[in-house]
């Protein structure tokens, strides 16, 4: 996905629209610069120049993060949360706006969503037709993909084309016609077979398996405590506990986070 969209798209667009400007973002600056370098390598390659000799990068505007062609085309590299004031693009590509660690942080998740929904749309040359392409693995229910799909649902799905390719056909595939490209129910048996998926489930749990491989996020707690295994009781005896522990998890995350929670946990022997 990254090779096709984050690397090849701009060099291809310049062969058809020499003045095309693109903004390309990622969660890490070094990752974005690496893809920018690869795109530039394509344009400067002998094969490309032999086919498209009119597409040339200007020597006086040729940096890792921002280069311009003689046809007034431009490729700008940025990172999540960064300001891009004064820059406008005909296409915006965001490749992994956050990583799994950032997705677990409420403030960083909020920053990524705000950047996607408030900052980037204002950088479009034409708000009606400039496309924004988001590439990412699902990391949480309210990650940038989840947030955008939720808004699209309220708007009747207008303006969004959702392509979803989970590791197996056990999860929802969009569009459905792509299911026929799977082999024995697997998207890529050579890299992610059933043994690999079972190891992911054993080592990392249901949360990682459902999010990153199934593209169907579940609540993070769903990978720790199984609700269907818990029995609800309305009262318990006050005696007979071998050990009782009280603990408070105080809300301390700046500008977000979970509620303060008090837990009283007791160990009791029950005769069946």
């Amino acid at each position: 996905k990254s090779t096709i969209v984050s690397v090849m798209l701009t060099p291809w667009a310049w062969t058809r629209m020499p003045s095309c400007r693109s903004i390309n973002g990622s969660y890490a600056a070094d990752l974005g610069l690496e893809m920018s370098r690869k795109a530039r390598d394509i344009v400067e390659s002998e094969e490309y120049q032999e086919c498209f000799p009119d597409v040339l990068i200007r020597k006086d505007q040729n940096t890792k993060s921002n280069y311009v062609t003689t046809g007034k085309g431009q490729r700008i590299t940025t990172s999540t949360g960064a300001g891009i004031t004064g820059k406008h693009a005909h296409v915006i590509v965001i490749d992994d706006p956050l990583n799994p660690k950032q997705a677990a942080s409420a403030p960083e998740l909020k920053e990524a969503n705000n950047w996607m929904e408030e900052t980037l749309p204002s950088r479009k040359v034409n708000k009606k037709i400039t496309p924004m392409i988001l590439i990412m693995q699902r990391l949480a229910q309210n990650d940038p993909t989840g947030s955008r799909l939720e808004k699209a649902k309220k708007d009747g799905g207008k303006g969004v084309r959702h392509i979803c390719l989970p590791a197996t056909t056990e999860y929802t595939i969009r569009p459905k016609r792509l299911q026929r490209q799977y082999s024995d129910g697997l998207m890529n048996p050579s890299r992610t077979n059933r043994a690999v998926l079972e190891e992911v489930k054993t080592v990392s749990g249901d949360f990682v398996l459902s999010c990153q491989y199934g593209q169907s996020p579940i609540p993070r707690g769903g990978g720790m405590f199984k609700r269907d295994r818990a029995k609800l009781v309305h009262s318990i005896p006050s005696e007979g506990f071998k050990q009782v522990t009280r603990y408070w998890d105080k809300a301390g995350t700046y500008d977000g986070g979970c509620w303060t929670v008090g837990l009283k946990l007791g160990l009791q022997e029950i005769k069946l």
Side-chain angles (χ1 to χ4, degrees):
K1 301 183 297 295
S2 296
T3 298
I4 294 173
V5 182
S6 296
V7 176
M8 294 181 172
L9 178 59
T10 302
W12 174 83
W14 285 337
T15 67
R16 287 151 174 78
M17 180 182 173
S19 61
C20 178
R21 299 195 302 273
S22 68
I23 292 175
N24 299 261
S26 183
Y27 71 88
D30 56 349
L31 178 60
L33 291 175
E34 175 67 12
M35 290 187 286
S36 176
R37 180 189 63 78
K38 290 180 179 179
R40 183 173 58 182
D41 287 346
I42 291 176
V43 176
E44 295 179 339
S45 67
E46 292 183 7
E47 296 86 347
Y48 186 95
Q49 285 300 311
E50 183 178 351
C51 295
F52 311 106
D54 294 333
V55 182
L56 297 170
I57 296 177
R58 291 176 50 172
K59 294 182 178 180
D60 62 333
Q61 296 192 48
N62 186 358
T63 65
K64 291 182 179 180
S65 62
N66 186 354
Y67 43 87
V68 179
T69 69
T70 53
K72 299 182 180 180
Q74 186 175 18
R75 189 188 191 283
I76 303 167
T77 301
T78 186
S79 57
T80 302
I84 42 178
T85 304
K87 306 294 184 181
H88 293 84
H90 298 98
V91 59
I92 299 174
V93 177
I94 305 302
D95 197 336
D96 285 331
L98 72 173
N99 60 28
K101 183 178 179 180
Q102 292 170 325
S105 167
E108 292 192 73
L109 186 58
K110 181 179 179 181
E111 179 185 35
N113 284 333
N114 288 344
W115 188 64
M116 289 288 303
E117 297 168 6
E118 299 175 8
T119 302
L120 292 179
S122 66
R123 301 297 93 201
K124 294 181 177 182
V125 169
N126 187 320
K127 304 296 189 297
K128 292 182 179 180
I129 63 174
T130 296
M132 183 184 297
I133 303 172
L134 170 62
I135 304 171
M136 67 175 293
Q137 60 179 345
R138 296 303 306 274
L139 298 172
Q141 289 181 301
N142 59 331
D143 61 16
T145 293
S147 178
R148 187 65 188 89
L149 290 176
E150 186 62 28
K151 285 181 170 58
K153 186 187 300 184
K154 297 178 181 178
D155 195 31
K158 296 179 181 179
V160 173
R161 182 182 182 186
H162 183 206
I163 299 175
C164 181
L165 301 174
T168 77
T169 55
E170 298 170 14
Y171 299 94
T172 302
I173 299 171
R174 293 186 177 88
K176 291 184 179 180
R177 59 180 172 79
L178 295 179
Q179 183 169 330
R180 62 173 178 262
Q181 302 294 331
Y182 282 59
S183 176
D184 191 27
L186 297 169
M187 181 185 71
N188 192 341
S190 61
R191 293 185 59 185
T192 312
N193 55 37
R194 298 195 185 281
V196 171
L197 294 173
E198 189 60 36
E199 182 179 2
V200 170
K201 181 177 181 179
T202 302
V203 175
S204 303
D206 291 336
F207 179 77
V208 171
L209 181 66
S210 183
C211 287
Q212 298 183 34
Y213 292 84
Q215 306 304 307
S216 300
I218 60 175
R220 185 171 290 272
M224 186 178 300
F225 297 104
K226 311 300 182 183
R227 293 185 179 182
D228 58 342
R229 298 180 186 177
K231 182 179 180 181
L232 180 65
V233 296
H234 297 285
S235 63
I236 57 174
S238 58
E239 64 279 342
F241 286 94
K242 293 184 176 181
Q243 184 179 352
V244 177
T245 300
R246 163 71 79 177
Y247 182 80
W248 289 91
D249 184 2
K250 298 180 179 179
T253 303
Y254 175 75
D255 195 29
C258 299
W259 295 71
T260 293
V261 175
L263 174 69
K264 189 174 184 181
L265 186 67
L267 177 63
Q268 183 184 45
E269 183 179 351
I270 300 177
K271 294 182 180 180
L272 300 177

